Amino acid sequence: MTNLEKYKAALDQAYTESVDKTLSNLRDGIKEVEGDLLAPNLAEDEVQAYEDEIEMLQSLLVASQNHKFFLEQEMPSDYVIPKLQEKFTPEELDTMLELVQSELYNNFFSVTMNLEQEYSNQLEQQVDEYMENLYSGKGH
């Protein structure tokens, strides 16, 4: 496995695990608040607050599920690696990927982080547009 293949696998795995963890945490949060809602003797404003929180968490869950859907269409490495290949020769890229374990990777790390953020922003924009279309009646 080349350094680039190792990087691709690690990047995609880390991003996928992060999204999966977010989905799991949101599902757990919804269950917890739904449990709180079952408590006896809740005042009307407490019930409303719990219902509002559930609604917000469910909205975040839908957005995160859409994030996962778009992630499955284009993994971070599908976006990041071609951009890196534009910026660096194959030899430079291979050398930098080898050096990622050392202290000499600051430039590469900075470029990579910027590209990952760019990808994340693009993905969020796609999700936002999808959600906007969904709620405005233009969705699928």
Side-chain angles (χ1 to χ4, degrees):
M1 183 179 267
T2 67
N3 288 328
L4 193 58
E5 290 169 334
K6 289 177 190 172
Y7 171 70
K8 177 186 181 348
L11 174 61
D12 291 344
Q13 180 181 353
Y15 211 91
T16 301
E17 286 174 1
S18 173
V19 172
D20 288 343
K21 184 167 179 53
T22 299
L23 285 168
S24 176
N25 289 343
L26 285 168
R27 286 186 186 111
D28 291 347
I30 290 169
K31 285 179 191 168
E32 186 178 319
V33 177
E34 285 174 341
D36 293 341
L37 192 55
L38 297 175
N41 305 321
L42 288 176
E44 193 173 314
D45 61 332
E46 290 175 304
V47 169
Q48 186 60 52
Y50 283 134
E51 288 174 348
D52 290 347
E53 187 174 354
I54 289 171
E55 189 176 316
M56 180 201 62
L57 289 170
Q58 287 173 331
S59 178
L60 290 171
L61 181 63
V62 169
S64 293
Q65 288 167 331
N66 287 323
H67 191 115
K68 174 127 176 127
F69 170 78
F70 285 111
L71 176 65
E72 290 167 351
Q73 308 311 305
E74 179 183 50
M75 294 299 282
S77 64
D78 296 333
Y79 181 84
V80 172
I81 289 176
K83 298 282 188 184
L84 290 174
Q85 289 170 326
E86 289 173 15
K87 293 181 184 296
F88 303 106
T89 67
E91 296 77 20
E92 288 172 330
L93 197 52
D94 192 57
T95 301
M96 281 186 266
L97 287 166
E98 274 182 39
L99 297 175
V100 164
Q101 301 304 319
S102 75
E103 294 179 26
L104 302 173
Y105 72 97
N106 288 335
N107 181 34
F108 179 75
F109 183 74
S110 172
V111 169
T112 301
M113 290 305 293
N114 289 339
L115 287 169
E116 288 175 26
Q117 186 60 49
E118 199 177 297
Y119 168 80
S120 185
N121 292 344
Q122 178 183 310
L123 195 59
E124 282 182 37
Q125 184 180 353
Q126 284 179 301
V127 169
D128 290 347
E129 288 171 7
Y130 177 80
M131 294 295 287
E132 198 175 293
N133 289 338
L134 189 66
Y135 287 113
S136 68
K138 298 178 196 166
H140 302 275

